[in-house]
Structures are given as C-alpha cells and as structure tokens.
Amino acid sequence: MAEDRVSVRLVIRGRVQGVGYRAWVGREARAGGLDGWARNRADGSVEALVSGAPERTRAFIEKAWRGPPAARVTAIDQTLAEAPVEPGFRILPTV
C-alpha cells in the first residue's frame, strides 16, 4: 500500500537569509525523507515546498520554527500544494 503524502508550501519570515537557513532546510528535509525544494525570495523570506508522510511533514514544520542557531523565525505561512514533480530535495536559486 502506498504511503499517504501531504505537500505544503511554506513561506518563512524573519531573520532567515544570511544565516544558513536554506541549507538547514535542505539537510532537515533530506534527513526526514521529504521531497521538495527551498529558495530565498527577494523580499527576505525563504520559500519551501515539502512533501512526504503527514507526520514527517508536521515534524519538519515544527523544526522550521527554530531553524539554525542564528535564525529568528517570526512567521510561517502554510498552504497545501501539489507534490513536487521530481523526487528528492533541491535548493533553488533566489526569486
């Protein structure tokens, strides 16, 4: 039986650029077996698409509030999304 999956688009705000947040997202997502991507946005936020088992996705979002030591997350906007086309987790260029 196929594992249930959920896909969520996150926009993470606060001090999340220049502190290794995007790389941290990649490491945590891969460690949690999640698919998707992360990228910096010109407005100073980090955008991510995470897709995987519901409990792993929830755990990732909880960790995203902390992030790496120098980060200070003030908000995470969440919306349901389509699953990524490619498996694995990628870091994308800034938009």
Side-chain angles (χ1 to χ4, degrees), residues 28-54:
E28 290 296 319
R30 288 180 194 109
L34 298 172
D35 295 325
W37 49 261
R39 63 185 172 195
N40 286 339
R41 296 188 51 91
D43 67 2
S45 66
V46 170
E47 180 180 18
L49 172 68
V50 293
S51 181

Side-chain angles (χ1 to χ4, degrees), residues 9-69:
R9 179 183 170 264
L10 308 172
V11 178
I12 302 119
R13 301 181 193 286
R15 188 171 68 195
V16 293
Q17 288 190 18
V19 295
Y21 195 94
R22 189 173 45 156
W24 176 89
V25 165
R27 285 190 304 275
E28 290 296 319
R30 288 180 194 109
L34 298 172
D35 295 325
W37 49 261
R39 63 185 172 195
N40 286 339
R41 296 188 51 91
D43 67 2
S45 66
V46 170
E47 180 180 18
L49 172 68
V50 293
S51 181
E55 65 277 0
R56 289 181 180 211
T57 302
R58 278 192 298 275
F60 174 86
I61 294 169
E62 287 177 23
K63 288 181 183 180
W65 277 100
R66 291 185 304 276

